[in-house]
Amino acid sequence: MTIKLICTSHTPLMDFCSPPGTTEKHVRQVFQQLAEQVKEYDPELIVIFAPDHFNGFFYDLMPAFCVGVRANAVGDWDIGNGPLNVPENTAKDLISALYDTGIDVAQSWRMQADHGFVQPLMLLCQDLQRYPTIPVFINCTASPLPTCRRTVALGRAIGQFLFKTDQRVLLLGSGGLSHDPPISQIGQVPPEVEEGLIAGRNPTKEARQRRQNRVIAVGESLARGENVVAPLNPQWDEELLSIFCSGDIQRLSSLTSGGIAIQGGKGGQEIRCWIAAFAALSVYGEYKAQRHYYQPIKEWLAGMAMVSAQPVNQTGA
């Protein structure tokens, strides 16, 4: 019964925009170091908490939380393709266990996982099929959002399920920290854009490219110092990293959507994925965390961070 956690920011702009100097090289080196840790740990089960960016989940039916029984990569930003290696029976057992504890998650037998899931898996595992992986979607984009208190409850319930297994488990949290990507908000856009938020699955190649070009342009503008979106917030990022590393789950539970939006932008809501992962880890007792990287990278529209953790009383992870 061993467990390890890795939480990372994600950004599809890694392959489309380059920050100055050695920043990109350093980030990729740290990802490679963490990938080597994953390879050495050789997890028997990965549980990844990740958001979506209106690529797989839409307002026609938007759950707060969803566990994938089967899942495929959307293929946005050309980051990974094909099915995830989901252990169906374990995923179904997890869903049943969550129901038993009062967490009524949705289930998907055809989950479409976008870069929020796929990029960390590709960077840390090199392949979507390499390890058995249960994807857990957390709505961090489509208002109203689940509370951080409820996100902690989800994480702890998943941690309680995992605690009863005898597998080597790797928890992955994907998202954040501060960033403000140009994602449309329902009620604030024309009808044709709103329709894309409601039922925009499987867009044409040209439509996806237009959307991606808009994101690239925002990253380039932010790097030039133009105030096209809310700026990255290193102070808030640093405070969050300290809270995560300290193990103060109660403080994380008290965060609000409004406060996160003010400090971290629209994309800052993705810290729920980190919150759920750390809440799951906390079931195993006191943990020790290591901060591997942090840098606000305007070109990537992201406060880029990478943290790992494991229980204090555990060795060999």
Side-chain angles (χ1 to χ4, degrees):
M1 185 179 64
T2 59
I3 194 163
K4 181 179 178 68
L5 172 149
I6 297 176
C7 285
T8 79
S9 304
H10 61 249
T11 171
L13 295 179
M14 278 183 72
D15 295 321
F16 294 87
C17 301
S18 294
T22 60
T23 298
E24 181 174 359
K25 181 180 179 181
H26 188 190
V27 172
R28 293 186 183 277
Q29 284 177 339
V30 177
F31 269 119
Q32 183 57 42
Q33 291 165 3
L34 290 171
E36 291 169 0
Q37 286 189 20
V38 172
K39 183 178 180 180
E40 181 179 0
Y41 181 58
D42 193 23
E44 296 171 290
L45 176 66
I46 293 176
V47 176
I48 180 169
F49 301 91
D52 179 78
H53 308 79
F54 290 108
N55 288 304
F57 289 85
F58 296 84
Y59 273 111
D60 59 355
L61 187 62
M62 179 60 69
F65 310 121
C66 183
V67 175
V69 180
R70 297 173 185 166
N72 282 273
V74 171
D76 59 321
W77 297 94
D78 298 321
I79 304 174
N81 287 286
L84 278 64
N85 179 11
V86 183
E88 291 187 17
N89 289 335
T90 306
K92 290 187 289 185
D93 289 344
L94 171 60
I95 293 165
S96 295
L98 292 175
Y99 288 167
D100 289 342
T101 60
I103 307 295
D104 298 327
V105 296
Q107 57 180 302
S108 175
W109 289 64
R110 191 171 290 172
M111 181 183 284
Q112 291 183 295
D114 82 350
H115 67 270
F117 286 95
V118 174
Q119 187 179 54
L121 289 172
M122 292 301 295
L123 287 170
L124 297 173
C125 307
Q126 279 80 55
D127 190 286
L128 298 181
Q129 285 282 318
R130 187 167 186 175
Y131 302 107
T133 300
I134 298 177
V136 180
F137 161 75
I138 298 178
N139 174 24
C140 302
T141 306
S143 297
L145 306 178
T147 64
C148 292
R149 176 185 58 79
R150 196 62 177 162
T151 302
V152 167
L154 170 74
R156 283 182 168 151
I158 290 177
Q160 289 163 1
F161 170 82
L162 297 172
F163 189 80
K164 298 174 184 177
T165 73
D166 58 358
Q167 295 179 300
R168 287 186 308 281
V169 176
L170 175 63
L171 299 169
L172 295 182
S174 170
L177 300 175
S178 66
H179 63 302
D180 193 46
I183 295 178
S184 301
Q185 301 296 302
I186 201 155
Q188 303 174 15
V189 291
E192 63 273 14
V193 178
E194 187 172 275
E195 179 60 22
L197 300 178
I198 296 172
R201 286 177 189 78
N202 306 315
T204 65
K205 182 178 180 180
E206 292 75 19
R208 191 181 294 284
Q209 189 62 56
R210 286 195 298 271
R211 180 180 175 186
Q212 293 179 179
N213 287 342
R214 287 196 297 271
V215 178
I216 293 170
V218 169
E220 293 172 342
S221 298
L222 191 63
R224 290 194 298 266
E226 300 172 12
N227 296 323
V228 291
V229 293
L232 303 180
N233 189 343
Q235 181 178 350
W236 185 70
D237 293 345
E238 293 282 1
E239 291 172 357
L240 276 176
L241 289 170
S242 295
I243 297 170
F244 282 118
C245 291
S246 72
D248 191 350
I249 304 298
Q250 184 58 41
R251 188 171 174 187
L252 295 170
S253 180
S254 68
L255 296 174
T256 66
S257 294
I260 293 169
I262 291 170
Q263 297 294 327
K266 291 190 292 292
Q269 305 292 353
E270 293 177 353
I271 64 170
R272 285 169 174 76
C273 300
W274 287 45
I275 290 172
F278 273 96
L281 180 66
S282 72
V283 171
Y284 289 70
E286 182 182 357
Y287 62 77
K288 55 183 178 182
Q290 180 180 355
R291 174 173 153 172
H292 296 271
Y293 184 85
Y294 173 73
Q295 185 71 30
I297 303 178
K298 295 179 180 179
E299 291 81 1
W300 291 351
L301 285 175
M304 288 294 297
M306 288 164 261
V307 173
S308 67
Q310 65 185 58
V312 169
N313 60 1
Q314 178 177 291
T315 59

